[in-house]
Amino acid sequence: MGVFQKIAQLLKANINDLIERAADPEKMLNQLIEDMEDQLQKARAEVANALADEKILQRKVEENKKAAEEWQKKAELAVSKGEDELAVEALRRKREYEKLANEYQKQYEAQHEAVEKLKSGLKMLEDKIEEAKRRRDLLIAKSKRADAQVTITQTMSKLTDTSAFESFEKYAQKIEQKEARAQAHEELLNASKTLEDRFKELENSDEDILNELKMLKEKMGK
């Protein structure tokens, strides 16, 4: 399988499905992009090799055309010198080089067409990989947002669980009941005082006041 086909397979991969199955979507996407770039480097090398082959074929065309021209000149020289046999041999050689030049020309044209297609395909792949990089950033952001949404949903589901609030309410009621019992005990204690105790308290209270009044009169000389 050529590198172009490998990159095409990577680009056609169902990235959304891969994200759902990946434990670490960001790491997985980065790895995919890295694989694409590795294959792209290989594709560039293939294009460079094809271009080098094109240059070699072009040089072969020029070399054989030049050789044909040289043998043409030799044939003309032989004719000018009256050497017909040499002229014929020179013309044969000229035709051989012309034939080779024509064959190399065909090969060169085919190679040139192939190289142009490869260069066009390479440019398209480069654009696709750049697009994939942009999509990677967007997909990672979507993945993180989805994770955050799941966390929020789970948290909200816990908050909607009334068991904690019910337990809180029970403890609140127990404390209120405890406070009410303490107040009831105090009221019962006050109610248990005898009538004599209450009058004694009043007498003690009046005695204190009478003593204070007596001291005030003595102070004023009354």
Side-chain angles (χ1 to χ4, degrees), residues 153-170:
T153 302
Q154 291 174 345
T155 303
M156 291 300 296
S157 66
K158 292 177 181 178
L159 289 176
T160 54
D161 184 4
T162 59
S163 60
F165 293 100
E166 291 173 353
S167 298
F168 178 86
E169 192 62 29
K170 288 179 181 179

Side-chain angles (χ1 to χ4, degrees), residues 3 24 31 42 55 61 70 76 92-93 96 108 120-121 125 132 138-139 144 153 176 181 188 195-196 198 209 218:
V3 292
D24 189 340
Q31 183 61 51
K42 294 178 181 178
K55 297 294 184 182
V61 171
E70 290 176 353
E76 292 173 357
R92 286 198 184 100
R93 293 289 183 89
E96 289 176 3
Y108 165 76
S120 177
L125 287 175
L138 177 60
L139 289 168
K144 289 182 177 179
T153 302
E176 289 174 354
R181 285 196 297 269
L188 289 173
L195 187 60
E196 292 180 358
R198 295 176 66 185
I209 293 174
E218 289 177 354

Side-chain angles (χ1 to χ4, degrees), residues 104-117:
Y104 277 119
Q105 181 66 32
K106 292 178 182 178
Q107 293 295 322
Y108 165 76
E109 290 174 358
Q111 184 70 10
H112 178 73
E113 183 179 355
V115 167
E116 290 303 310
K117 289 181 179 179

Side-chain angles (χ1 to χ4, degrees), residues 5-23:
Q5 288 84 352
K6 290 180 180 178
I7 297 176
Q9 282 190 348
L10 289 171
L11 290 170
K12 290 179 181 179
N14 190 337
I15 295 179
N16 290 325
D17 181 60
L18 291 173
I19 287 178
E20 291 180 0
R21 293 188 287 107

Side-chain angles (χ1 to χ4, degrees), residues 13 21 35 40 57 64-65 75-76 87 91 95 110 112 130 143 147 151 158 163-164 168 175 183 187 203 217:
R21 293 188 287 107
D35 292 343
L40 183 61
L57 289 170
N64 283 278
K65 282 184 177 180
E76 292 173 357
L91 290 174
R95 288 189 178 184
H112 178 73
E130 288 302 315
S143 177
D147 291 341
T151 301
K158 292 177 181 178
S163 60
F168 178 86
I175 292 172
Q183 291 175 350
E187 290 177 3
E203 289 174 356
K217 286 182 176 182

Side-chain angles (χ1 to χ4, degrees), residues 169-187:
E169 192 62 29
K170 288 179 181 179
Y171 282 114
Q173 290 177 2
K174 286 182 179 180
I175 292 172
E176 289 174 354
Q177 290 173 358
K178 184 177 180 180
E179 182 183 19
R181 285 196 297 269
Q183 291 175 350
H185 281 301
E186 185 177 357
E187 290 177 3

